[in-house]
Amino acid sequence: MLKRHARAACTALAAAGLLLAGTGGAIADSAPAAPSAAATLRTADAPPELLAAMQRDLGLTPAQATARLAHEAEAGATAARLRDRLGAAFAGAWVDGADAGTLTVATTRAADTAAIRAAGARAKLVTRTLADLDAGRAALDRGAGAATPVRYVDPRSNTLVVEETEAGAAAALLAATGTDPAGVTVVRTAEAPRPLCDLRGGDAYYMNGSGRCSVGFPVTKGAVNGFATAGHCGRAGTATSGFNQVAQGSFQASVFPGNDMAWVAANTQWTATPYVKGSGGANVQVTGSVLQPVGASVCRSGSTTGWHCGTIQQHNTSVTYPEGTISGVTRTTVCAEPGDSGGSYLSGSQAQGVTSGGSGNCSGGGTTFFQPLNPILSAYGLTLKVSGSDPGPGPGPGDPEPGGTWKAGTVYAAGATVTYGGSAYRCLQGHQAQTGWEPPNVPALWQRV
């Protein structure tokens, strides 16, 4: 976790619970063509500050940075459609190349390779399904301790990865959980992740006048403005003040460990905006919350180290901090330092999650983990503040949209089904629905069934 304050205060707060095949149906000839994934995610609108940071941190040319965002959006949609088609045989997907121009999809079924290639992706035949590997990681989580602080699925190698801080710790964990070593890669690490303790995403806020964290993403809940952030930054009732030390609000709910999620309700002096603080303090717009694939670029904003970029390494990672284990976080190559906790991760203009913790620093490099945003929005009934769309109050709770069960403001996970306009659709990529993203309009997010 990445929260800044005095060491003694950090320890006390930690003990208190501080510190994400087609459209499936024909559209009438007279209807306009549905937008591409890149158009849906508005990659062409990426601000210069974001593109400049990608060039700096990922070693890209201007053309590669622009192309990368578009390729990542299309790769995410293609991978989602293939995951839906392959079913239980699906074994993961990732992008490679400076401009993310190569998508690889893994399967355990040889008969799937032709369909993967036909979709424009590279096929890889492996022995373990993603579901099997995830089950193995969950078993390791139950026996893991401080000496094996990080466990995740690596789709590229089709193995589980266990990081150990002491020689033999991983072997002992495998023996204790009955895990076959043949499917596990052990990585020795010198540093264990820790909390980096110390209403625009990335701005500083202060807890009870002492500890400092970073705003994740501005949200609304009914008429209340606020923001999503990391659970380790405070418990329900913890008072907050803003970057300017003006009274701001209080934590309404918080979970840590287990997950690392929370939200703060602000007072009437604060208004949620659809922005994250970018390089030099510039506003970077947020237009949605579609989680991007492994290998995709991601940039982070925090109140200590500002704006830094890297790539997504693995989703659904488990990390054991001194305060306990959290699951379902995403591992990245982005650096962070104390005080960055709770801050925003963006891929293009798509909100990804809030900073949880990590190791290393922004001088020598490091690894960080973010809590995906969509589970926070869903758990607390929050609406992400986005640029260019304001659906308003809409129907009351439980009321269906005029077109069916699809409803703006709802967080949909991959595999969820809805009806709209008399047809059924299945969600391909997890996201919070918004006006303009109705299922027939966004084949990158929904497939007709």
Side-chain angles (χ1 to χ4, degrees), residues 188-208:
R188 188 67 183 273
T189 181
E191 294 186 359
R194 81 280 190 197
L196 302 181
C197 318
D198 223 345
L199 285 173
R200 174 178 60 170
D203 275 337
Y205 70 92
Y206 299 85
M207 298 80 69
N208 289 332

Side-chain angles (χ1 to χ4, degrees), residues 43 80 117 119 161 174 194 233 263 265 295 308 332 384 389 394:
T43 64
R117 295 188 185 103
V161 177
L174 301 186
R194 81 280 190 197
C233 289
W263 85 281
H308 288 273
T332 81
L384 176 66
S389 175

Side-chain angles (χ1 to χ4, degrees), residues 31-61:
S36 66
T40 296
L41 304 190
R42 295 170 60 178
T43 64
D45 296 336
E49 294 81 11
L50 184 145
L51 294 171
M54 291 175 63
Q55 293 167 47
R56 178 197 67 199
D57 294 341
L58 298 176
L60 305 177
T61 66

